[in-house]
Amino acid sequence: MCLRSERRKSRKWLKITGIIILVLFVGAGVYGYSLYKSFKSAVDTMHRPIERKHSEKRETPIEVSKKDPFSVLMLGVDQRGNDRGRSDTIIVLTVNPNNNSIKMLSIPRDTRTEIIGKGKQDKINHAYAFGGVPMAIDTVENFLDIPIDYYIQVNMEGFKDIVDAVGGVTVRNDLDFSYDGFHFSKGEINLTGEEALAFARMRKEDPRGDFGRQTRQRQIIQAVINEGASLSTLTNYASIFNALGKNVKTNLTFDEMVQIQKNYKQVGQNIEQMEIKEQGTKINGIYYGIVSAEEKQRIQNELKAQLELKLQASN
């Protein structure tokens, strides 16, 4: 039962992530009043502001109308009933229109760090469980030492056919393996939605373990963006936007999304995947991923450079 549950969550998250990024960078205002109306309705439903107006790590708020580099924290949440759930998928996007690129960083859910607002060390995905989006943002900001400008929270209970909605995806596979009833050969392969999600979920047969799985997840996300960049794939936009409205929360406004589509639409063509190197260990019988000070500094400096922030030693 747990394996099936984990499988469903992984499948839903990958579909959700790809289409959200697609909407952010190539979807808004692209053709016709009908698309505009559907998109605006979806964004109005999704919009959930948070109390702070901008990150304390910025002197002034960013302005996407002026093409400022910005960051997005993406949280995949398994929410059931009145239970807030945990953010088992954590991805940080840093977007720079000046070099037309996105850096996409996956943060492993077991990463041990300070939970801001709780005053203790714990797994980073517990921040959302303890304090929702605000605590998750504060904790990720502290861990990476960069401002988090926007967030996108996704409820796993939705979005079942997004990869297929963009006509499937093409990826380059570097590991020959079979998983979940499918065989994946080395080289360039074309994947349906079910195949893409099985491709991304495999972990145990990969000598890289969870890092290999994270790499494949980012491959699928990037492939969905590549497919979605062709406007002909958006034939199902009405149902896609309707599903977005039901399953996504964000502090991005409609006007900001329109400005992002206008000023940043080329960035989706250049996505660089990043990963954090960790050392797994057990503390009091609980597994954690430990990030060295040198590795943390490397990640922080790379993200700061992408956001055009001053490089300095972290606190």
Side-chain angles (χ1 to χ4, degrees), residues 24-38:
L24 278 177
F25 299 114
V26 300
V30 287
Y31 61 87
Y33 174 74
S34 180
L35 175 59
Y36 176 92
K37 184 178 179 180
S38 295

Side-chain angles (χ1 to χ4, degrees), residues 66-69 95-101 263-264 267 308:
K66 296 182 178 179
K67 300 183 69 172
D68 291 337
V95 182
N96 189 321
N98 299 317
N99 60 24
N100 284 324
S101 72
N263 296 323
Y264 300 75
V267 300
E308 299 182 4

Side-chain angles (χ1 to χ4, degrees), residues 54 105 113-114 125-126 133 179 198 210 218 260 280 284:
H54 70 277
L105 173 69
T113 190
E114 181 183 356
N125 72 325
H126 288 185
V133 170
Y179 188 77
D210 197 48
R218 293 191 298 268
I260 288 171
N284 297 325

